[in-house]
Amino acid sequence: MEKYNPREIEPKWQKIWDEPNYYKTEIDKSKPKYYALEMFPYPSGNLHMGHVRNYSIGDVVARYRKMAGFNVLHPMGFDAFGMPAENAAISHGVKPSDWTFSNIKNMIRQQKQMGLDYDWNREVETCRADYYRWTQWLFELFYKRGLAYKKEASVNWCDTCGTVLANEQVIDGKCWRCDHEVHKKNLAQWFFKITDYADELLKDLDKLEGWPSRVKIMQENWIGRSEGAEFSLQVDGFDEKISVYTTRPDTIFGITFMALAVEHPLIEKLIAGQPNESEIRQFIKETKDMSDMERTSSESEKKGIFTGVYCVNPVNGRKVPIWITNYVLFEYGTGAVMGVPTHDERDWMFATKYNLDKILVIDNPAAPLELSKMDNAYIEKGVLINSGEFNGVDNESAKSKIIDWLEDKKIGTRKINYKLRDWLISRQRYWGAPIPVIYCEKCGEVLVPEKDLPVELPDDVEFKQGALSPLSTSKKFNECTCPKCGGKARRETDTMDTFICSSWYYLRYADPHNTEKPFAREIVNYWNPVDQYIGGIEHAILHLLYSRFFTKVLRDAELLDYDEPFTNLLTQGMVIKDGAKMSKSLGNVVSPEEIIEKYGADTARLFILFAAPVERDLDWSDKGVEGSYRFLNRVWRILGIFEDAIKGGTENYDVATLNDEEKILRRILHKTIKKVTEDLHDRFAFNTAISALMELVNAAHNFQDKKINPDLAREFAKNLLIMLAPFVPHIAAELWSKFFAGDVHKQNWAKFDEAAIAEDTVEIVVQINGKVREHINVANNLDKAALEKLAPTLPRVQNLIGDKKIVKIVAVPNKLINVVVR
RNA sequence: GCGGGUGUGGCGGAAUUGGCAGACGCGCCGGACUUAGAAUCCGGUACCUUUAUGGCGUAUGGGUUCAAGUCCCAUCAUCCGCACCA
């Protein structure tokens, strides 16, 4: 047989697979369906190793499931709107669409070079009008359901990107894309009301058994549900109340001051005419000028200023001073906080700094507290004191009792709060889906009628760094007539956050050419939800939370009939080299295309799947790649050695004719089938599946200088190639074509023969006091009682025991015997 | 600070349900083939010692158990997420 030459065979098979309908997927109710999906990429222009890892994992899953009898949907597409295309326009004068489409073309070429089994008939590109038409349609659906609204708010603004950002897209006070500091701006913006679904998004995390708990915990924290009470304090001398939210109603009798966020709307009224008004205004200004990072860091010093006004604690009538502070967040709760220094660390620090009163309301029954000796807030459990009729109640049960009492007396109410904010979806950018809204002087805000969708992106726009939305520079885009009254109107010039485009693409794959609606309900109900979603952990909140939200809204709109979009989620680890993530600045980038050129796609795939478990970070090793290449050569060579035998073998043969050595090989073969099947089907343990295949090939090497039974050789080759097919599709297809008819990728998955695995005798371990002292061969499945009887008769055991006494014998069939002596 | 993960040879990793620690691969050492090299093939490779029916060993210290990498408690290291959310 000729030498293994991936450069020749890989393009050969890729050409065959590229024929229009080779991977075409259709609904087939005779088989269980399986939807395997990798997160679609942003078309940056080139695949990186992270993509290679992602797609290699997905390809094994999809190819294996196909062979195992599932009707598999495995599509690919591009998350094609976004800033970089626009930056290319700004700096190189290239049209964003040209830049994007040429990048997509190159990435598809690279994906095909990897031998991935996508159904390209279903490809979606979110920047195409036939896709964003439906993104706009979905926006209108949200609008009609009261889930899209425009309001003026303090929002995150990134100067470098020249646009606003959602809370989820601000990481440590910095922009998720360009890493520049973000600051607050007051702007009228579009929001999606994700908070309406906060409770369900939280509760349904329990349904996601197939998700890593890490991701679920991150989402749980992000949603940030808390239970508490809301009540108001009357402002002394004003006809105003200050509403506060607290999770510690048990400390309500300990309020000694009131703390307001600098943005609190009541402040203007309170400070007008106060002697230190200008000083107060100065403090507010300074605080507002601080960066978000500084302001929200728990490290920063707590500062405040007294308004000169008091309010009244409704539970005990105590008059407490109202302060304006830098540590109360306007966005959360009511923007006002009750100050209980004795039982809250922040309040303690604040009260200490400004010499405010402190009242103990919870005592430690084990070691009674003395205020004068405390240098910290007491935040442990305890019993209420100084709390009227609640004295003596333990603080945990007091929480609920006090809320009941507040409700009874109509002072306050039980309240659930979330950290989750509504999703800010408008972007002052060009390369995105235009928000389909028209502003009419008479009729106000009007949706573009469905029949007029899509609102297409114009091309007479100017791209300038930092300028406002480029769409506002397009005359033909801006000027329009009102769909209601026909009068002069103008269009919304903001586009949608690209995370909206990616919140529903996995639905479009199911029905990608539908021109009547985004997708047909029954088709989506067949293919979706996604059975196995695969991607990076960086989307733990962003994309994965938004998609869950979309799914629930679409379900309520009766467009689909399930609750969660992704049944199982696999978060792959990063590809690192020399201890760091591959990056241009570190100069440790390995180009997938170079590796494929040198060793072939099969080697690249094999290495990346073998080198580490999928969830863990993968250390790139050039030597390791060579090892994978070596293995494929070994496979090629051993089948070459067996060539005549394989061709001369038959498929149904009498196993009894095999000699002992051949029986051992056959046993290893069937054990391997069992192991690989388990590793692929329920564990995604690709690394151990591959190591089992390596062991099998090593075992076959015993026959390199010997004659091998042709029937066994054929059985071996057939099953080996079937098992290799999902991992290394090209070499498997090529070798298969040399020995067998048909297409290896359309074979049924290998089945193991339980009888072949069973052994007559098994080796078990004999321990004395837990230490291995002897290995013996006994009949397979020899029972406990027999093993217990056997142990003391062994000469070695008798020798070692000497005159010590046997206290106990523990026997585990097919495993071990432990003789306990004293 | 809170929450979560991880810690096993020179390296990547295996041990799935508490049952022979180190599978498989890399590297290294030795051998075969070769004029020689490459490639390939075969063998060895945790550590220690008195070299064998030996001891010791899975971050550290303790515990449970006939038996612990695996379970429990504490500590250390490291990575990730959140972080003034009242």
Side-chain angles (χ1 to χ4, degrees):
Chain A
M1 217 158 73
E2 71 284 12
K3 259 186 73 187
Y4 169 49
N5 184 356
R7 271 197 235 199
E8 205 173 288
I9 64 166
E10 293 192 353
K12 173 185 150 189
W13 286 98
Q14 283 160 18
K15 221 176 137 195
I16 292 169
W17 299 336
D18 208 20
E19 277 161 23
N21 293 329
Y22 185 87
Y23 287 121
K24 191 165 174 139
T25 324
E26 265 154 8
I27 289 181
D28 173 359
K29 296 202 170 154
S30 69
K31 292 177 178 176
K33 71 95 185 176
Y34 192 88
Y35 188 172
L37 184 65
E38 298 108 63
M39 290 179 183
F40 69 165
Y42 178 78
S44 56
N46 280 290
L47 295 189
H48 56 65
M49 279 301 171
H51 291 125
V52 174
R53 191 175 194 191
N54 191 201
Y55 308 150
S56 298
I57 294 167
D59 206 48
V60 173
V61 171
R63 287 184 185 272
Y64 161 73
R65 288 283 169 171
K66 279 182 190 173
M67 295 173 85
F70 291 80
N71 188 31
V72 173
L73 176 59
H74 188 214
M76 179 44 66
F78 293 88
D79 189 9
F81 273 137
M83 282 296 297
E86 225 167 310
N87 290 337
I90 294 166
S91 52
H92 302 107
V94 204
K95 272 169 71 181
S97 55
D98 291 347
W99 185 87
T100 304
F101 290 130
S102 91
N103 283 351
I104 288 177
K105 198 175 157 203
N106 192 49
M107 286 173 83
I108 291 178
R109 182 185 61 80
Q110 292 174 330
Q111 285 167 326
K112 289 188 174 174
Q113 225 173 31
M114 282 183 66
L116 304 169
D117 80 337
Y118 300 128
D119 177 359
W120 286 107
N121 297 303
R122 293 171 180 270
E123 192 213 343
V124 304
E125 293 167 7
T126 58
C127 65
R128 293 202 180 265
D130 63 1
Y131 183 86
Y132 71 71
R133 169 186 182 179
W134 300 114
T135 306
Q136 292 171 340
W137 187 92
L138 289 167
F139 172 92
E140 298 197 345
L141 177 85
F142 276 57
Y143 186 94
K144 289 169 192 161
R145 297 184 69 78
L147 294 168
Y149 64 92
K150 194 174 192 179
K151 83 162 184 207
E152 166 129 358
S154 167
V155 296
N156 307 298
W157 176 267
C158 173
D159 274 328
T160 343
C161 294
T163 186
V164 296
L165 296 168
N167 284 349
E168 290 80 5
Q169 294 156 19
V170 180
I171 317 286
D172 290 337
K174 291 175 182 160
C175 171
W176 70 291
R177 196 184 270 293
C178 70
D179 215 32
H180 280 83
E181 199 128 313
V182 161
H183 59 263
K184 293 277 186 204
K185 243 186 180 180
N186 263 318
L187 289 169
Q189 296 289 313
W190 284 94
F191 290 86
F192 273 2
K193 221 170 176 181
I194 192 170
T195 50
D196 269 13
Y197 285 83
D199 205 41
E200 198 190 345
L201 287 167
L202 178 68
K203 256 198 297 184
D204 281 0
L205 287 172
D206 289 343
K207 291 184 184 166
L208 299 174
E209 281 168 30
W211 280 39
S213 53
R214 176 154 88 113
V215 175
K216 289 189 276 188
I217 289 167
M218 282 165 76
Q219 291 209 358
E220 189 181 325
N221 291 339
W222 186 261
I223 295 166
R225 181 183 196 273
S226 68
E227 286 180 22
E230 199 171 282
F231 65 96
S232 301
L233 297 85
Q234 180 67 48
V235 182
D236 196 33
F238 289 79
D239 187 20
E240 295 287 351
K241 285 183 165 188
I242 300 175
S243 172
V244 292
Y245 171 73
T246 179
T247 56
R248 293 297 306 274
D250 51 325
T251 64
I252 196 167
F253 287 86
I255 301 175
T256 55
F257 66 98
M258 176 58 69
L260 303 182
V262 289
E263 292 90 352
H264 199 282
L266 210 59
I267 288 177
E268 270 308 310
K269 231 181 200 173
L270 300 187
I271 65 173
Q274 290 292 338
N276 59 343
E277 183 179 344
S278 63
E279 206 185 320
I280 295 174
R281 290 196 189 279
Q282 182 60 25
F283 173 79
I284 293 172
K285 187 177 180 308
E286 275 167 22
T287 306
K288 281 184 174 170
D289 282 350
M290 283 204 294
S291 79
D292 235 40
M293 248 326 233
E294 282 176 89
R295 256 191 86 175
T296 57
S297 163
S298 51
E299 310 290 302
S300 344
E301 198 192 353
K302 281 144 198 54
K303 285 188 199 159
I305 191 158
F306 180 42
T307 57
V309 183
Y310 292 80
C311 62
V312 182
N313 183 348
V315 300
N316 57 9
R318 187 184 173 98
K319 247 170 84 170
V320 298
I322 302 171
W323 284 66
I324 298 168
T325 72
N326 67 348
Y327 74 94
V328 173
L329 302 174
F330 181 60
E331 297 85 48
Y332 184 77
T334 62
V337 171
M338 63 183 208
V340 184
T342 42
H343 305 292
D344 181 284
E345 278 180 64
R346 295 152 303 182
D347 296 347
W348 177 277
M349 281 191 264
F350 189 80
T352 305
K353 182 177 162 93
Y354 293 106
N355 230 340
L356 303 173
D357 290 349
K358 295 169 180 163
I359 315 169
L360 268 178
V361 287
I362 296 172
D363 203 2
N364 181 354
L369 298 165
E370 268 180 74
L371 197 51
S372 57
K373 290 185 183 158
M374 287 167 67
D375 49 13
N376 262 315
Y378 179 76
I379 50 177
E380 315 291 313
K381 287 178 183 167
V383 169
L384 266 57
I385 52 172
N386 299 325
S387 299
E389 60 187 271
F390 297 99
N391 285 341
V393 181
D394 78 273
N395 76 300
E396 281 305 319
S397 55
K399 285 181 182 172
S400 185
K401 284 183 184 153
I402 289 182
I403 297 175
D404 289 343
W405 180 76
L406 290 174
E407 288 191 326
D408 250 22
K409 305 201 116 190
K410 308 239 183 300
I411 296 173
T413 55
R414 193 173 296 274
K415 173 93 198 239
I416 288 160
N417 238 322
Y418 298 92
K419 277 163 59 178
L420 183 71
R421 302 268 75 94
D422 275 344
W423 175 12
L424 199 177
I425 58 128
S426 38
R427 296 289 177 274
Q428 290 68 49
R429 302 312 323 161
Y430 166 78
W431 196 232
I435 294 173
V437 169
I438 286 169
Y439 300 104
C440 168
E441 279 175 29
K442 265 195 248 153
C443 315
E445 191 179 279
V446 184
L447 283 183
V448 172
E450 210 177 292
K451 64 171 173 48
D452 294 340
L453 294 181
V455 176
E456 287 199 61
L457 284 169
D459 43 21
D460 61 331
V461 293
E462 278 175 48
F463 295 104
K464 274 195 216 132
Q465 179 78 48
L468 263 186
S469 177
L471 282 183
S472 57
T473 67
S474 163
K475 252 195 154 168
K476 75 177 180 198
F477 182 85
N478 254 300
E479 292 172 5
C480 63
T481 52
C482 171
K484 263 193 193 158
C485 70
K488 240 179 118 180
R490 61 179 179 86
R491 282 186 197 282
E492 168 66 61
T493 56
D494 282 357
T495 52
M496 286 182 243
D497 182 3
T498 58
F499 278 100
I500 294 181
C501 309
S502 58
S503 290
W504 72 282
Y505 76 104
Y506 48 91
L507 298 165
R508 184 69 177 174
Y509 281 141
D511 191 12
H513 307 297
N514 199 324
T515 53
E516 305 295 312
K517 42 191 164 183
F519 48 82
R521 182 174 178 177
E522 61 282 5
I523 297 177
V524 154
N525 280 340
Y526 171 79
W527 283 116
N528 295 72
V530 173
D531 293 280
Q532 185 62 57
Y533 200 27
I534 306 163
I537 187 82
E538 65 273 16
H539 286 293
I541 293 173
L542 295 155
H543 163 61
L544 291 168
L545 186 67
Y546 295 148
S547 297
R548 294 183 61 224
F549 165 52
F550 256 66
T551 299
K552 291 174 192 308
V553 174
L554 298 181
R555 175 207 57 202
D556 289 345
E558 298 185 340
L559 268 64
L560 47 80
D561 297 286
Y562 54 88
D563 300 320
E564 286 288 339
F566 313 120
T567 311
N568 297 290
L569 174 69
L570 183 87
T571 50
Q572 90 217 24
M574 283 189 304
V575 182
I576 58 176
K577 188 162 185 263
D578 312 323
K581 188 178 176 174
M582 285 188 185
S583 80
K584 274 187 205 145
S585 56
L586 289 169
N588 61 350
V589 176
V590 180
S591 141
E593 212 165 331
E594 276 171 37
I595 296 294
I596 289 173
E597 237 161 72
K598 197 163 168 196
Y599 300 100
D602 283 343
T603 295
R605 293 169 56 128
L606 187 70
F607 168 71
I608 230 165
L609 294 165
F610 175 63
V614 285
E615 303 248 12
R616 228 183 289 179
D617 285 351
L618 182 149
D619 216 352
W620 185 267
S621 147
D622 293 330
K623 289 284 186 189
V625 178
E626 278 174 39
S628 295
Y629 186 60
R630 246 192 314 263
F631 170 69
L632 293 181
N633 272 290
R634 266 162 87 82
V635 170
W636 187 275
R637 216 175 308 114
I638 195 72
L639 293 189
I641 292 169
F642 290 173
E643 183 170 7
D644 293 338
I646 297 169
K647 286 179 175 163
T650 53
E651 308 235 335
N652 290 307
Y653 67 101
D654 182 5
V655 179
T657 60
L658 298 178
N659 67 31
D660 284 353
E661 249 181 311
E662 289 163 346
K663 275 185 190 147
I664 291 172
L665 178 60
R666 186 160 186 271
R667 182 184 308 137
I668 295 172
L669 172 63
H670 285 269
K671 275 188 165 173
T672 306
I673 296 173
K674 186 173 187 212
K675 164 92 180 142
V676 171
T677 306
E678 285 167 359
D679 282 355
L680 288 188
H681 200 92
D682 0 271
R683 298 213 305 150
F684 300 108
F686 304 134
N687 55 333
T688 53
I690 292 167
S691 83
L693 290 166
M694 286 173 169
E695 284 180 83
L696 174 61
V697 172
N698 289 347
H701 267 75
N702 285 331
F703 290 88
Q704 60 185 324
D705 306 318
K706 275 177 232 156
K707 258 187 101 88
I708 183 168
N709 177 301
D711 301 329
L712 174 63
R714 195 167 178 82
E715 187 184 9
F716 166 78
K718 183 179 174 183
N719 287 295
L720 174 64
L721 292 174
I722 286 174
M723 287 189 281
L724 284 173
F727 300 98
V728 284
H730 309 86
I731 190 177
E734 178 69 17
L735 287 169
W736 183 271
S737 72
K738 289 182 188 300
F739 305 118
F740 304 97
D743 181 344
V744 69
H745 297 292
K746 304 207 163 152
Q747 301 303 307
N748 290 326
W749 185 249
K751 284 199 170 59
F752 61 90
D753 175 3
E754 201 70 65
I757 294 174
E759 297 179 59
D760 298 341
T761 64
V762 291
E763 193 189 74
I764 67 165
V765 163
V766 182
Q767 300 178 330
I768 293 173
N769 286 348
K771 295 205 193 289
V772 179
R773 291 298 183 226
E774 176 82 301
H775 295 254
I776 57 170
N777 279 300
V778 298
N780 191 13
N781 287 329
L782 190 64
D783 66 25
K784 247 178 105 159
L787 290 173
E788 279 166 23
K789 220 181 271 172
L790 177 67
T793 69
L794 299 168
R796 175 137 164 76
V797 172
Q798 290 177 350
N799 261 338
L800 282 165
I801 293 175
D803 45 7
K804 285 181 205 132
K805 226 180 93 195
I806 295 181
V807 183
K808 186 177 181 181
I809 298 175
V810 183
V812 182
N814 289 358
K815 284 265 161 68
L816 58 61
I817 310 170
N818 188 11
V819 182
V820 185
V821 300
R822 200 182 289 139

